[in-house]
Amino acid sequence: MDKSKIPTAQRAALSLLLDDHRNVKKLFKSFESAKERSEKEQIAQQTCHELTVHAQIEEEIFYPGLRGVHEKIDEMLDEAKVEHQVAKDLIAAIEGDLSGEMLEANYKVLSEYVNHHVQEEENELFKMVISKNVELGEMAEQMTARKEELMGAMA
Ligand SMILES: [Fe+2]
Ligand SMILES: [Fe+2]
């Protein structure tokens, strides 16, 4: 999604989420190209950390702010909730056995799954938020503050 096409009032909030999406996609690629096992474990740990924080700010601030605006958006939010849960299960499996032999498989499935979720978010949910001109108000500030708090707490 091209940030310049996002209406000014919605740009800060959506850009923050788009940046997170791009960041994890980069991590997926680095994992794939990493040669050392220790490097893979470190990237996997960072990916899990970043995804957990991202999912939490969406669940605490972004998704609730979109509830009740449009029936179709509510349906997408229900689906997103289920998808987040599946991702969390994979994250727990990875974090719970970082040195285990299932790391590569779990990480691959997580990356494919998250790529799918991100695509739906950007191509369906964000597009709908823009076309329905959903009021995002102070969400950018709230999400930034919450993200800093969570990153600090988990570091
Ligand atoms: Fe999400
Ligand atoms: Fe997201």
Side-chain angles (χ1 to χ4, degrees):
M1 173 172 274
D2 186 350
K3 284 185 195 173
S4 67
K5 299 209 172 84
I6 303 173
T8 318
Q10 297 173 316
R11 193 174 297 151
L14 295 182
S15 292
L16 190 141
L17 298 173
L18 288 170
D19 287 343
D20 278 356
H21 292 170
R22 284 172 194 172
N23 186 31
V24 291
K25 283 186 179 192
K26 268 190 218 155
L27 287 170
F28 294 156
K29 289 218 171 79
S30 341
F31 183 92
E32 236 176 87
S33 55
K35 295 200 170 50
E36 302 285 329
R37 171 70 194 206
S38 60
E39 201 187 338
K40 283 195 187 282
E41 289 179 16
Q42 188 264 320
I43 297 166
Q45 203 167 23
Q46 195 189 340
T47 308
C48 290
H49 181 183
E50 308 239 344
L51 280 175
T52 301
V53 171
H54 178 76
Q56 205 168 332
I57 62 168
E58 283 186 343
E59 286 169 23
E60 288 182 4
I61 300 160
F62 185 59
Y63 293 170
L66 307 180
R67 273 280 169 201
V69 176
H70 192 277
E71 201 183 323
K72 197 93 189 88
I73 291 180
D74 282 346
E75 277 172 27
M76 290 178 195
L77 293 176
D78 290 343
E79 209 181 302
K81 195 176 164 186
V82 177
E83 291 182 351
H84 277 203
Q85 190 52 55
V86 175
K88 281 177 198 172
D89 292 344
L90 287 164
I91 288 168
I94 291 168
E95 286 183 324
D97 191 15
L98 211 55
S99 55
E101 59 184 26
M102 290 304 281
L103 176 70
E104 297 252 8
N106 280 326
Y107 194 91
K108 185 151 201 288
V109 176
L110 177 71
S111 63
E112 285 168 354
Y113 199 78
V114 168
N115 277 331
H116 157 84
H117 174 70
V118 159
Q119 207 172 328
E120 279 195 344
E121 227 160 43
E122 295 185 12
N123 297 340
E124 296 173 27
L125 183 61
F126 291 10
K127 276 211 175 116
M128 192 93 176
V129 165
I130 292 169
S131 72
K132 297 287 166 201
N133 199 18
V134 181
E135 171 67 65
L136 301 180
E138 304 295 298
M139 256 189 227
E141 290 80 358
Q142 289 168 7
M143 288 194 289
T144 304
R146 186 67 177 128
K147 194 176 165 184
E148 276 169 21
E149 201 174 87
L150 291 169
M151 287 295 218
M154 292 173 94

